[in-house]
Amino acid sequence: MAANSKQSSQSVSHLAAETLNNPNASAIQKSLAGSVLSQAGTKNQTGAGMEAKASAALKNPRSSDVTKTLAGSVVSQSNKKR
C-alpha cells in the first residue's frame, strides 16, 4: 500500500469541528467532517468507502462549498494506489 503522509490542515480541521457541532449540517457533511478529524495529526488514510462518498460529493453540482471543502480534504488523503 502506498503511504500518504498528508494530514488535515488546521483550517479544514476547524471547519470539520464546526460542522460536527452544527445541528443543521447534513449527514454527508458530518460523515466527511468525522473523516477529516480522524486524519488530523495522524497518518490515517481515507478508506475506499469514504473516498467514494467524497468523490460523489465533489461531482455533485448541488454540494455546498463546505461539503466540497471537506470532501476535497478527504480525497487528498486517500491511498495513492486507488
Side-chain angles (χ1 to χ4, degrees):
M1 178 186 321
N4 186 346
S5 61
K6 292 184 180 181
Q7 296 179 8
S8 300
S9 70
Q10 185 174 4
S11 61
V12 177
S13 295
H14 182 71
L15 176 63
E18 287 180 341
T19 301
L20 287 174
N21 287 315
N22 180 352
N24 297 319
S26 68
I28 186 66
Q29 286 176 329
K30 289 190 176 204
S31 179
L32 293 168
S35 181
V36 167
L37 288 177
S38 77
Q39 297 169 14
T42 69
K43 294 188 180 197
N44 292 345
Q45 292 184 20
T46 302
M50 185 54 68
E51 182 181 353
K53 273 188 187 181
S55 179
L58 287 170
K59 292 176 185 174
N60 184 341
R62 297 182 312 179
S63 290
S64 70
D65 289 343
V66 169
T67 302
K68 288 186 177 188
T69 298
L70 295 170
S73 179
V74 169
V75 168
S76 75
Q77 296 171 62
S78 63
N79 183 312
K80 291 181 180 181
K81 286 192 173 182
R82 280 198 299 262

